[in-house]
Amino acid sequence: MSKQILSVEIAPDLLQIKSMRYYLNKWQPDFVSISNLSRFSFDNITQCASYIQKALNIPVVIHLTGISHNKREIDESLKILRQNNISNLLLLRGDKHGHIKNYFPYANELVNYVKSKNDKFKIMGACYPEVHPEAQSLVEDIQHLKTKVNAGCTQLISQMFFDNQKYYQFIKETNKQNIKVPILAGIMPITEMQTVNWLKKIKMNIPQFVQKNNDLKQAGIKFTIEQINDLYKNNVDGIHLYTMNNWSATDEIIKNIKRSELNE
């Protein structure tokens, strides 16, 4: 038997992480994912990861994107990570925008490259219960996903979604394609209008409660707790919480969710 996974994703704000370390100690997530936001340098991200790993004794996962980084830059990043004893990576293609270079146009190419440089890294990948925007169908999307898993991904983290039925359908299709790695359900609480506006910008389907409640924070927390408990009850491999460094809301959610044992 194994416990269902609970992981959290945070932004790499070192001063904030140090001041809020109480929460990470309290939650004791299976790992902390450090988001690769453009306003933070890679050195800053690495410092946050090293602090969490050394001071708090919690495993960390670093994001690396391939589309805007050439092989030399990837090599340098891997060298820095090895020097800091960081071995868990979430490898992503990255977003296409502007005149960005196209060094690794597909995530599986980045996975293959990293594995060829050092097979000691544990590699995670992303998946899309609501279908990748560039895929023609869910079946086609999962065929591409299988290529990424075959390249070396040992765990997957999903993009956020708000309809659990779409996630369950996604899992059925991955089973049909014989994808056997753990798939964590990515959950983003909607507790402020800034998140709502961002979700609209990227054309995500937004749950109805957003339009029906004056107290968005409490309604969002309630919705997220119910969503996660339904997922855990239906034996998902685990939950990955996109916290956006909203420490109090995340704490309220984690206090009210119920993990269970999984048959190995």
Side-chain angles (χ1 to χ4, degrees):
M1 301 288 283
S2 64
K3 198 80 169 176
Q4 291 169 307
I5 290 172
L6 175 65
S7 57
V8 296
E9 184 164 307
I10 62 175
D13 186 328
L14 186 57
L15 289 177
Q16 188 184 94
I17 291 169
K18 287 182 175 180
S19 66
M20 297 295 180
R21 61 180 288 171
Y22 158 80
Y23 285 109
L24 291 173
N25 275 323
K26 178 183 178 183
W27 302 335
Q28 281 299 301
D30 292 284
F31 66 85
V32 173
S33 170
I34 311 292
S35 56
N36 189 4
L37 300 175
S38 58
R39 67 179 184 271
F40 295 101
S41 70
F42 189 72
D43 283 344
N44 183 258
I45 293 168
T46 306
Q47 287 174 12
C48 292
S50 294
Y51 172 77
I52 292 169
Q53 193 163 267
K54 293 176 182 177
L56 306 182
N57 198 31
I58 298 172
V60 292
V61 174
I62 291 285
H63 299 196
L64 282 182
T65 56
I67 198 167
S68 58
H69 296 98
N70 59 33
K71 291 180 179 180
R72 180 186 58 79
E73 291 168 331
I74 294 295
D75 290 347
E76 183 61 27
S77 295
L78 296 178
K79 178 182 176 182
I80 292 169
L81 294 175
R82 286 196 302 270
Q83 290 170 345
N84 286 274
N85 295 314
I86 296 169
S87 58
N88 300 312
L89 305 178
L90 176 61
L91 298 186
L92 309 161
R93 182 193 71 178
D95 295 329
K96 292 181 177 179
H97 55 82
H99 300 289
I100 202 164
K101 299 292 184 181
N102 203 19
Y103 293 112
F104 292 92
Y106 299 103
N108 67 287
E109 295 179 358
L110 180 59
V111 175
N112 275 319
Y113 182 74
V114 171
K115 292 292 287 185
S116 73
K117 301 299 290 187
N118 189 326
D119 64 2
K120 301 299 183 184
F121 286 109
K122 180 181 178 182
I123 296 175
M124 302 181 186
C127 57
Y128 299 83
E130 293 196 357
V131 185
H132 192 284
E134 295 176 22
Q136 297 299 311
S137 67
L138 177 59
V139 172
E140 179 194 289
D141 194 17
I142 292 175
Q143 288 172 345
H144 290 304
L145 180 63
K146 188 170 184 178
T147 302
K148 187 159 47 177
V149 171
N150 289 342
C153 284
T154 58
Q155 194 171 68
L156 298 169
I157 299 174
S158 89
Q159 175 68 282
M160 78 287 291
F161 61 92
F162 302 101
D163 181 349
N164 286 0
Q165 295 308 313
K166 290 185 177 181
Y167 183 80
Y168 300 141
Q169 181 60 38
F170 173 79
I171 294 298
K172 286 181 182 178
E173 292 297 330
T174 61
N175 288 333
K176 288 180 185 178
Q177 293 284 345
N178 203 33
I179 294 174
K180 299 299 185 183
V181 300
I183 302 176
L184 308 188
I187 302 299
M188 179 176 284
I190 302 177
T191 58
E192 52 189 34
M193 281 306 301
Q194 182 178 351
T195 304
V196 175
N197 294 334
W198 178 71
L199 291 169
K200 288 179 179 177
K201 184 178 179 181
I202 63 172
K203 299 180 180 179
M204 283 289 296
N205 293 315
I206 299 172
Q208 291 185 349
F209 82 84
V210 171
Q211 282 77 36
K212 295 181 178 179
N213 286 275
N214 293 324
D215 190 343
L216 183 59
K217 182 177 180 179
Q218 288 306 311
I221 289 172
K222 181 176 183 291
F223 180 90
T224 302
I225 291 168
E226 291 173 353
Q227 183 184 16
I228 292 174
N229 280 334
D230 180 73
L231 288 162
Y232 273 146
K233 186 173 68 176
N234 282 279
N235 298 318
V236 298
D237 294 313
I239 300 294
H240 185 70
L241 261 175
Y242 297 105
T243 71
M244 297 164 289
N245 288 27
N246 191 331
W247 304 94
S248 61
T250 304
D251 188 54
E252 186 67 21
I253 291 164
I254 291 177
K255 280 193 301 188
N256 288 282
I257 58 178
K258 300 177 180 67
R259 287 194 274 177
S260 59
E261 301 290 341
L262 287 173
N263 290 315
E264 293 185 304

